[in-house]
Amino acid sequence: MDAIKNKNHYLFTSESVGEGHPDKLCDQVSDAVLDYCLSLDPDAHVACESFATTNFLLVGGEIGFQKQDINIDDFNKNVEKIARQVAVDIGYTSDDVGLDGRNCTFLNRLHAQSADINQGVVGRGLDEYEGQQGAGDQGMMFGFACNETPTLMPAPVYYSHQLLLKAHELRHNGTISWLRPDAKSQVTVEYDENYKPARIDAVVLSHQHNPNVFDKDDKKDHKQIKKAIIEQIIKPVLEPTGLLDENTKFYVNPTGRFVTGGPDGDSGLTGRKIIVDTYGGMGRHGGGAFSGKDPSKVDRSAAYMARYIAKNIVAAKLADRVEVELAYAIGVPEPVSIMVDTFGTEKVERAKIEAAVEKIFDCTPAGIIKTLKLKQPIYRKTASYGHFGRTGFPWEETDKVNELLAEIK
């Protein structure tokens, strides 16, 4: 690695993975099952995990329906159809590419939710919380926002996602017909001393491909693959940023060959890409995964609320860089703590921002679900290319800016 010329600058790297990465396949299956459950019963409690490996796909976990008229036999048949269809939609239609979604072995090991957990969530736990929706688990959740990209996301993870979204587009529309579903990207950004991106130092993009794309010689093939990915994916995405320069390094399929991939190349499991799902390692993470969990699980819903709060603070220009922490006890409605960290970039006193947050945002589980409309079947599309920094999700709205400004004044 070349030394940074300016000693006050530093490098930060984040990665993304494509929809066909085996872990992301499992995240999408889990969230597709969640969406199906919410379409049957918006009050369903779901914790669905998925596992994939060579010629094999499994779903398991716990489901609790509040409605009593759900036909379990029909439900189980549809779960299998949904899981297989997710794999097919991604492009896993043959053993050659890593999985045949239509014909692989499938197992369903979903079961009923624990009554002990359920009583605290639905307000039948301790007398002092009677009738109030409690948190589905203890834990701490973090949200982050900064003003270095239009979506108020950190540049390294945002650009990593954008690279794979471009590859996704060119694979599905047939522009680059030799691409297969599995893919990973990584972007290293050089920052100045004020947290501002100065340049992109390195780009890594590994994409599964058909054998013998251009030539039967792997080395000749790799040169052509590298050229195509740089010219058709990397440069169109990153050149408009103005951050590429003559010293930016490109690493494309650096092993020289990426034919075997997907669940055949590596097993997949729900919840193993929590940093890809959030901020690429910039800011802290409470440790809880999102996919397959209904919004009564604060691992998911409170992380969405924390992002919503942080993004509105930055959009209101009260700070350039914000991290919000929410923490909960299982069965208890109110958060046990709320923290706002502005990293010294605040434009007004941090204590005033924190006080405004506590007044404006209802951070109880029920309040979060109501504010962000989380009982809708919207989750499958969150499960690849990041849960944050994308349009169409309620937690990405900046509709609390005026309330924050009014409260501060």
Side-chain angles (χ1 to χ4, degrees):
M1 185 183 75
D2 297 331
I4 299 175
K5 294 180 180 179
N6 189 322
K7 292 184 179 180
N8 294 320
H9 286 207
Y10 63 95
L11 300 177
F12 195 94
T13 302
S14 297
E15 71 164 348
S16 179
V17 298
E19 63 168 355
H21 186 281
D23 294 330
K24 275 290 136 204
L25 161 65
C26 293
D27 285 343
Q28 290 168 87
V29 168
S30 294
D31 272 339
V33 172
L34 169 62
D35 282 348
Y36 175 50
C37 292
L38 293 176
S39 73
L40 295 174
D41 179 0
D43 294 314
H45 293 157
V46 182
C48 178
E49 308 280 351
S50 302
F51 171 74
T53 189
T54 303
N55 197 36
F56 182 79
L57 186 57
L58 175 147
V59 297
E62 55 185 37
I63 308 286
F65 288 113
Q66 309 310 303
K67 288 185 176 180
Q68 302 302 312
D69 59 349
I70 306 296
N71 185 304
I72 297 302
D73 288 338
D74 288 344
F75 172 77
N76 286 328
K77 289 177 184 176
N78 287 329
V79 164
E80 178 172 352
K81 290 178 183 178
I82 288 165
R84 291 185 182 278
Q85 190 60 51
V86 170
V88 170
D89 291 345
I90 290 169
Y92 285 123
T93 57
S94 165
D95 291 336
D96 291 341
V97 299
L99 186 75
D100 184 348
R102 296 187 182 96
N103 299 304
C104 66
T105 300
F106 177 82
L107 287 180
N108 179 347
R109 290 294 182 267
L110 295 168
H111 59 82
Q113 183 187 41
S114 160
D116 293 349
I117 294 174
N118 182 262
Q119 71 177 14
V121 173
V122 300
R124 294 196 298 268
L126 298 176
D127 290 345
E128 59 195 290
Y129 308 123
E130 182 70 31
Q132 302 178 69
Q133 179 174 348
D137 202 351
Q138 71 175 46
M140 62 283 187
M141 298 83 211
F142 291 91
F144 187 87
C146 57
N147 62 5
E148 59 194 63
T149 62
T151 59
L152 306 187
M153 285 288 285
V157 71
Y158 176 72
Y159 294 136
S160 294
H161 288 322
Q162 292 302 305
L163 289 172
L164 292 185
L165 280 166
K166 184 65 173 179
H168 170 106
E169 174 193 341
L170 299 182
R171 179 170 66 88
H172 280 282
N173 68 21
T175 300
I176 306 183
S177 59
W178 42 264
L179 292 176
R180 288 181 169 182
D182 200 353
K184 301 181 79 170
S185 66
Q186 188 171 280
V187 175
T188 300
V189 173
E190 181 179 328
Y191 283 83
D192 68 19
E193 60 272 21
N194 298 312
Y195 300 120
K196 301 301 181 186
R199 55 183 293 274
I200 291 174
D201 186 72
V203 180
V204 182
L205 206 158
S206 296
H207 210 301
Q208 187 187 13
H209 58 85
N210 293 343
N212 304 325
V213 175
F214 299 107
D215 197 289
K216 292 184 179 180
D217 183 325
D218 279 347
K219 291 183 179 179
K220 291 181 180 178
D221 220 18
H222 178 259
K223 289 180 180 179
Q224 295 297 314
I225 289 170
K226 182 175 181 178
K227 180 180 179 182
I229 286 177
I230 290 174
E231 296 300 325
Q232 296 185 65
I233 297 173
I234 296 175
K235 286 186 177 180
V237 170
L238 297 182
E239 279 186 338
T241 69
L243 296 173
L244 295 182
D245 62 25
E246 66 278 6
N247 295 315
T248 301
K249 299 174 282 292
F250 299 106
Y251 303 95
V252 175
N253 288 7
T255 67
R257 180 179 169 88
F258 188 3
V259 172
T260 301
D264 191 36
D266 191 7
S267 62
L269 191 66
T270 299
R272 274 205 301 216
K273 287 292 175 282
I274 59 174
I275 300 303
V276 169
D277 285 344
T278 52
Y279 308 102
M282 194 171 289
R284 286 164 282 198
H285 197 295
F290 300 156
S291 290
K293 297 178 181 178
D294 76 88
S296 73
K297 278 75 171 174
V298 285
D299 273 346
R300 182 170 214 162
S301 55
Y304 289 170
M305 179 57 99
R307 163 65 177 174
Y308 180 56
I309 295 169
K311 187 171 183 181
N312 273 272
I313 293 170
V314 174
K317 299 183 179 179
L318 296 173
D320 296 336
R321 188 179 181 90
V322 172
E323 184 175 69
V324 173
E325 183 196 37
L326 304 175
Y328 295 84
I330 188 168
V332 180
E334 295 290 340
V336 299
S337 69
I338 298 175
M339 180 277 291
V340 178
D341 189 352
T342 49
F343 305 96
T345 67
E346 67 274 10
K347 313 304 177 186
V348 299
E349 290 179 28
R350 189 193 60 80
K352 289 184 177 181
I353 299 173
E354 197 166 89
V357 165
E358 293 192 22
K359 184 171 183 179
I360 292 168
F361 295 92
D362 183 349
C363 293
T364 64
I368 293 170
I369 289 169
K370 181 180 179 181
T371 299
L372 300 180
K373 303 177 179 65
L374 295 181
K375 290 187 178 183
Q376 308 171 75
I378 58 173
Y379 296 101
R380 179 180 169 184
K381 62 184 178 181
T382 69
S384 51
Y385 309 115
H387 291 245
F388 307 123
R390 298 163 60 202
T391 58
F393 299 137
W395 50 90
E396 290 297 312
E397 298 296 327
T398 52
D399 52 357
K400 296 293 185 181
V401 166
N402 290 335
E403 286 184 60
L404 280 167
L405 292 173
E407 186 63 31
I408 294 293
K409 289 178 181 178

